[in-house]
Amino acid sequence: MAILYQIRIDGAQVQHWETGAKPLVVGRGECADAFVEDDALSRSHFLIAREGADYILIDLNSSNGTWVNGARMSAHKLCSNELIQAGESLFYFSELPVAALLIPGTPALIKSADAVAARTPQG
């Protein structure tokens, strides 16, 4: 089992969800397993699914895209300690529970993702 944390820009935890055998859908819609109040998120924005020992992030054709460590991804094999940005929300993926999150460089990573987003045409 792995954990997806929603975090603030300063690294403080907002909420978290456990991921396991069943895929975890993240979005602002009522059908999302991980409901996040963020108007920039799609109703079903991305999901995390387990494939064997690996966790795979899949963007669900979201309007604003999903970013992992500052790079836009449609699919990505997740590793512990990766940052995910979707809409205006920031997430931290870990395969182990974390007591307190303080992630150095988080604002710089968000700025780099914003710069890429500004250069990427939205479709």
Side-chain angles (χ1 to χ4, degrees), residues 11 20 26 33 41 47 74 80 82 84 93 96-98 119 122:
V26 178
D33 303 305
L41 281 179
L47 70 80
S74 57
S80 243
E82 290 196 295
I84 302 163
F93 177 81
L96 299 172
V98 180
R119 295 190 308 264
Q122 298 296 314

Side-chain angles (χ1 to χ4, degrees), residues 79-117:
C79 297
S80 243
N81 307 319
E82 290 196 295
L83 291 172
I84 302 163
Q85 187 172 5
E88 295 179 5
S89 298
L90 187 62
F91 303 91
Y92 177 81
F93 177 81
S94 179
E95 294 188 54
L96 299 172
V98 180
L101 292 172
L102 237 121
I103 304 166
T106 301
L109 182 61
I110 291 171
K111 286 180 185 174
S112 71
D114 288 344
V116 172

Side-chain angles (χ1 to χ4, degrees), residues 30-52:
E30 293 178 13
C31 64
D33 303 305
F35 172 77
V36 178
E37 289 188 44
D38 177 348
D39 290 338
L41 281 179
S42 296
R43 285 180 179 82
S44 295
H45 198 99
F46 69 89
L47 70 80
I48 296 175
R50 187 166 190 165
E51 291 186 4

